[in-house]
Amino acid sequence: MMNVNKLQTFLTLSECLNFTEAAELLYCSQPSVSMQIQRMEDDLGVPLFDRIGKKLYLTKQGEHFKPYAEQIINLLASAKDHIRQLEDLSFGTLSIGASNFVGVYLLPRMLREYTTSFPHIKINMNITSSNHLIHMLETNKVDLLILSDRVRIDETRYQRTTFYQDELVLIVNPDHKLAKQKTCTLADLTNETFILKPNKSATRVYLEDQFQEHGFTPPHYMEISNLEGIKQGVIHNLGVSIVSNFAIQQELKHGLLVKVPVQGIQFLRGISYVYPRNKHFSPAANKFLPLLNQANL
């Protein structure tokens, strides 16, 4: 019969792919790890690992089974947390998955109010790519995601609530010819190099859709995957960019960047929180959601 210890053994071994290392991490013997894996494979009726020479690999069945095992382990941990929090909100963890912009610029200000009200709740914020965030939500590693509404999700499985409208603005170096202008047009940008995130980025897709809608095709692109890197690129006059107004306040204040309104276009994207439709929120998460809904940024 399958039990939690076997699942944990499987997950540990699937990460290190070494019986000796897994035994050390689990504080048990190597034969014990081997026996538990063998019993799991017997229970499931399929091999979970391939042993080729001295190396260990997850089988196709093992790869498919892994997210289910993660989900069970994480759900059990969440259940224990939730039950304890019903009696005492000085205990527990609020786990959030966030995109780069949200996690670095938006959430710290919102979490300040939360940690003031609940100082003993541990905050666990994972900042990573949207694809990885969706996987974390599927396997119960996080309570909810906070990310751009341009990121596609399966709306039959997940509830999405947009709580903030983020304005994207054109930024240039202070010595740029457009820096002295009150506004510009897309035609003024015809010969500019645009510093943008790689083409699979939700923000990049949104901006290119907006350009196409207005009949504009940037002639030159420079790709930088990180928002801080993009800002530094503009500061060092490598090109211009369109980024969140919220994320450039310090640079504007210190005269490192200049924002220039583009006539006839407003670049807006919603920021949403996302969670499974059948999600049972912990008391800690239930106290956080009203802060998002009343966001005053």
Side-chain angles (χ1 to χ4, degrees), residues 17 27 60 79 99 104 148 200 204 221 269:
L17 295 173
Y27 302 102
K60 183 178 178 181
S99 60
V104 174
S148 164
K200 290 185 180 180
R204 170 77 171 268
Y221 279 128
R269 63 176 175 183

Side-chain angles (χ1 to χ4, degrees), residues 101 105 164 166-169 171 227 242-249 269:
F101 159 71
Y105 302 101
Y164 175 69
D166 181 39
E167 182 183 13
L168 306 177
V169 295
I171 54 171
L227 182 51
I242 297 175
V243 300
S244 166
N245 184 55
F246 196 91
I248 56 168
Q249 294 308 302
R269 63 176 175 183

Side-chain angles (χ1 to χ4, degrees), residues 48-258:
L48 297 172
F49 294 92
D50 271 333
R51 299 154 184 85
I52 303 174
K54 294 184 178 181
K55 291 192 174 181
L56 200 63
Y57 301 88
L58 271 175
T59 62
K60 183 178 178 181
Q61 295 93 331
E63 289 176 356
H64 281 273
F65 180 66
K66 186 175 179 180
Y68 291 101
E70 290 176 322
Q71 191 171 11
I72 293 166
I73 292 291
N74 292 329
L75 193 58
L76 182 60
S78 295
K80 290 178 179 177
D81 256 14
H82 295 189
I83 291 167
R84 290 183 65 180
Q85 287 173 25
L86 289 172
E87 303 297 327
D88 183 8
L89 254 180
S90 68
F91 166 85
T93 302
L94 173 65
S95 294
I96 305 167
S99 60
N100 183 262
F101 159 71
V102 172
V104 174
Y105 302 101
L106 208 60
L107 277 181
R109 186 179 297 192
M110 304 181 73
L111 287 169
R112 181 178 57 198
E113 183 178 346
Y114 183 82
T115 55
T116 300
S117 300
F118 307 102
H120 300 294
I121 295 292
K122 179 184 174 184
I123 305 296
N124 182 8
M125 180 164 63
N126 293 275
I127 302 173
T128 185
S129 67
S130 55
N131 285 341
H132 193 204
L133 288 174
I134 297 296
H135 174 73
M136 294 179 82
L137 194 62
E138 287 174 343
T139 55
N140 285 299
K141 286 184 178 175
V142 293
D143 293 312
L144 70 160
L145 305 181
I146 305 179
L147 69 181
S148 164
D149 66 358
R150 303 292 166 182
V151 176
R152 294 178 182 174
I153 62 167
D154 182 351
E155 307 233 2
T156 63
R157 294 181 62 190
Y158 302 109
Q159 175 69 41
R160 187 205 299 266
T161 302
T162 300
F163 66 93
Y164 175 69
Q165 287 295 325
D166 181 39
E167 182 183 13
L168 306 177
V169 295
L170 174 71
I171 54 171
V172 300
N173 179 282
D175 295 327
H176 193 280
K177 62 185 179 182
L178 295 177
K180 308 300 181 190
Q181 296 185 198
K182 291 185 177 180
T183 64
C184 73
T185 65
L186 284 177
D188 293 327
L189 303 172
T190 301
N191 296 316
E192 299 294 337
T193 296
F194 274 78
I195 308 175
L196 299 175
K197 287 191 173 182
N199 58 15
K200 290 185 180 180
S201 153
T203 303
R204 170 77 171 268
V205 171
Y206 165 66
L207 289 174
E208 290 187 335
D209 286 346
Q210 290 294 302
F211 291 155
Q212 187 175 10
E213 192 175 312
H214 290 83
F216 175 68
T217 304
H220 307 291
Y221 279 128
M222 178 183 293
E223 294 185 347
I224 299 179
S225 61
N226 178 276
L227 182 51
E228 283 300 313
I230 290 173
K231 290 194 293 182
Q232 287 298 318
V234 179
I235 288 170
H236 289 87
N237 223 357
L238 297 176
V240 303
S241 191
I242 297 175
V243 300
S244 166
N245 184 55
F246 196 91
I248 56 168
Q249 294 308 302
Q250 291 297 319
E251 290 81 5
L252 294 177
K253 180 180 177 181
H254 295 290
L256 297 172
L257 292 171
V258 174

